[in-house]
Amino acid sequence: MKRQLMTAAAALALTLSAQPAALAVQDVAGDDALRTAIAADYETHLEDLYQHFHANPELSFREVETAARLASELRTLGFEVTEGVGQTGIVAVMENGDGPTLMLRADMDGLPVPEQTGLDYASQVTGTDLRGVENPVMHACAHDTHMTALVGAARQLVERTDEWSGTLVLIGQPAEELGEGAVAMIEDGLFERFPLPDFNVSFHTFSAIPTGTITYVPGFAMANVDSVDIHVQGRGGHGAYPHTTKDPIYLASQIVVSLQSLVSREVSPLEPAVVTVGAFNAGTKHNIISDGAHLQLTVRSYTDEVREQLLTGIQRIAANQAASYGLTPEEYPRVEIEETYTPALFNNPDLAARAVETMRGRFGAEAVIEASPVMGGEDFSRYHRTEHNIPTFMFWVGGTTQATLDDYTARGLVPPSNHSPFFAPDDPQGSITQATEAMAAVALDILAPSGSE
């Protein structure tokens, strides 16, 4: 998941450790037909599919072979599949009578990370990103489990067409790690060329959650994510004669310090907000005052109002600090805000309550836990942020066994996070089969024929 959930991994692990232990899945629903079918399908089909996806990752907007395999899996099931939506995305549609339209989403891209898991099916591939840079590639954020579970849920739903009525829209989304894939698919006509969903549902496998546990957050669950660059201008010169210069490092330092007042003194303490300067680059030599500095910021918020307050505040502080240092308006810092940003993920409370009731009915209340919002970001939020205002729900599935979490805790450590070269689910069958069952069960509930109990 895009850069972010890992920052809360330790806190979330501690929170979950204080919860009652999740019930073993089979202890809740017994020898359920859906669960039994999924377990059998994992043994005969899904395990190989997962290992294929894991061993063959592709970078953002480069998911050509990944998309082709996912499209083939769904086309074989009878879905009408369109490829190349939003560059490398796929859309699969199955109409099964009257009823709602439900969209289920899986993201497809890997990360430029050299895998160090030691798995027999570990990735050995390299890929070239959009900048032309070649890197090792790994599914370090569990998108391989997302695609596998999407296929698994689709296979069960196709076998149960007499249990649901409506339209399924399944999408394989590119470039989640760039925060650009969802908007690319929307701009390519996702909601015009294909059936318009009444509901959108997705999930994410997360390393800090014990396998067998599902977490969710109603309402705001993840943050707006903005990337901001501040290009600070100065007048360079000799380090021995600073009075003849306008030192951009000094000015940039003043900007960094002043930015801290945005959250601490301007945004309401009741509103979540983050302004982090992640990079400060300037200068080349001890005795040279450079003529420029470059700051790179990540800015997080939930509401549109706080987002605007932070972004305008950054621009104001940069300009006013330059003015106080005696620079002319032409020399003020250039503030660049990336046009494509990740909006806050808002889980529709009614849809969340309905899905949680379904999942708790299958896995038990102790296994489906309400968690706290985080300041990470996920571009699944984009599917809600259109003129259609489609109710959306994302939940999280455990990616590390409780025994492994306990072992790390005993050693005073946290387990490898999403995006780590050491992360892969240590019980992929448990993670994938639970996610498959949850997605299929939620779909069967939403698409239940009218009048059914």
Side-chain angles (χ1 to χ4, degrees), residues 398-409:
T400 306
T401 61
Q402 187 65 58
T404 299
L405 292 171
D406 291 344
D407 176 65
Y408 275 93
T409 299

Side-chain angles (χ1 to χ4, degrees), residues 216-237:
Y216 70 96
V217 181
F220 281 116
M222 304 185 76
N224 294 310
V225 179
D226 282 280
S227 296
V228 179
D229 291 81
I230 304 177
H231 300 274
V232 180
Q233 301 181 67
R235 303 173 196 164

Side-chain angles (χ1 to χ4, degrees), residues 176-189:
E176 186 277 331
E177 296 296 350
L178 298 181
E180 298 178 7
V183 71
M185 294 191 76
I186 292 169
E187 290 179 350
D188 199 16

Side-chain angles (χ1 to χ4, degrees), residues 112-129:
V113 173
E115 180 160 357
Q116 300 180 55
T117 61
L119 293 170
D120 293 341
Y121 50 90
S123 169
Q124 304 293 327
V125 305
T126 60
T128 302
D129 65 19

Side-chain angles (χ1 to χ4, degrees), residues 230-249:
I230 304 177
H231 300 274
V232 180
Q233 301 181 67
R235 303 173 196 164
H238 199 295
Y241 314 109
H243 58 290
T244 65
T245 73
K246 289 294 183 182
D247 185 353
I249 294 178

Side-chain angles (χ1 to χ4, degrees), residues 70 111 125 159 220 258 272-273 276 304 353 376 439:
L70 185 56
L111 285 159
V125 305
E159 290 296 318
F220 281 116
S258 296
T276 293
D304 291 345
M439 293 280 274

Side-chain angles (χ1 to χ4, degrees), residues 351-413:
L351 178 58
R354 180 174 181 176
V356 167
E357 181 180 6
T358 296
M359 292 189 292
R360 283 182 171 164
R362 300 199 64 82
F363 305 118
E366 296 87 347
V368 183
I369 301 169
E370 182 173 346
S372 298
V374 298
M375 299 306 288
E378 232 289 353
D379 76 347
F380 184 63
S381 58
R382 280 281 179 188
Y383 301 111
H384 164 69
R385 290 289 297 255
T386 70
E387 68 272 23
H388 307 294
N389 197 32
I390 302 167
T392 294
F393 177 62
M394 169 174 270
F395 59 96
W396 289 266
V397 170
T400 306
T401 61
Q402 187 65 58
T404 299
L405 292 171
D406 291 344
D407 176 65
Y408 275 93
T409 299
R411 292 184 286 143
L413 303 171

Side-chain angles (χ1 to χ4, degrees), residues 89-322:
I90 73 161
V91 179
V93 178
M94 178 174 287
E95 297 179 351
N96 185 40
D98 296 331
T101 297
L102 171 64
M103 187 182 88
L104 302 178
R105 170 266 210 172
D107 37 12
M108 303 188 296
D109 50 333
L111 285 159
V113 173
E115 180 160 357
Q116 300 180 55
T117 61
L119 293 170
D120 293 341
Y121 50 90
S123 169
Q124 304 293 327
V125 305
T126 60
T128 302
D129 65 19
L130 297 179
R131 302 168 298 167
V133 178
E134 186 172 4
N135 289 289
V137 187
M138 176 190 175
H139 269 304
C141 203
H143 294 187
D144 45 1
T145 68
H146 305 168
M147 291 183 285
T148 305
L150 182 72
V151 171
R155 287 166 66 86
Q156 296 305 315
L157 292 167
V158 166
E159 290 296 318
R160 291 167 171 77
T161 52
D162 59 337
E163 298 178 29
W164 61 275
S165 182
T167 300
L168 275 173
V169 178
L170 310 184
I171 67 170
Q173 183 205 296
E176 186 277 331
E177 296 296 350
L178 298 181
E180 298 178 7
V183 71
M185 294 191 76
I186 292 169
E187 290 179 350
D188 199 16
L190 176 63
F191 294 147
E192 289 77 39
R193 296 165 55 191
F194 306 98
L196 180 66
D198 296 294
F199 306 97
N200 299 325
V201 176
S202 187
F203 83 97
H204 204 295
T205 304
F206 187 30
S207 70
I209 300 174
T211 307
T213 300
I214 290 173
T215 66
Y216 70 96
V217 181
F220 281 116
M222 304 185 76
N224 294 310
V225 179
D226 282 280
S227 296
V228 179
D229 291 81
I230 304 177
H231 300 274
V232 180
Q233 301 181 67
R235 303 173 196 164
H238 199 295
Y241 314 109
H243 58 290
T244 65
T245 73
K246 289 294 183 182
D247 185 353
I249 294 178
Y250 167 79
L251 174 55
S253 299
Q254 294 296 315
I255 292 171
V256 171
V257 172
S258 296
L259 288 175
Q260 309 313 306
S261 68
L262 284 172
V263 174
S264 66
R265 289 297 178 268
E266 295 192 33
V267 174
S268 166
L270 302 179
E271 293 283 356
V274 172
V275 177
T276 293
V277 179
F280 188 141
N281 298 293
T284 58
K285 195 174 184 296
H286 303 75
N287 63 348
I288 297 175
I289 292 176
S290 65
D291 58 4
H294 179 205
L295 304 176
Q296 293 174 283
L297 287 64
T298 188
V299 182
R300 309 297 173 98
S301 57
Y302 284 155
T303 68
D304 291 345
E305 293 76 17
V306 172
R307 175 176 181 259
E308 182 65 20
Q309 184 179 7
L310 293 174
L311 296 178
T312 58
I314 290 168
Q315 295 170 307
R316 183 192 74 240
I317 286 171
N320 289 347
Q321 286 293 336

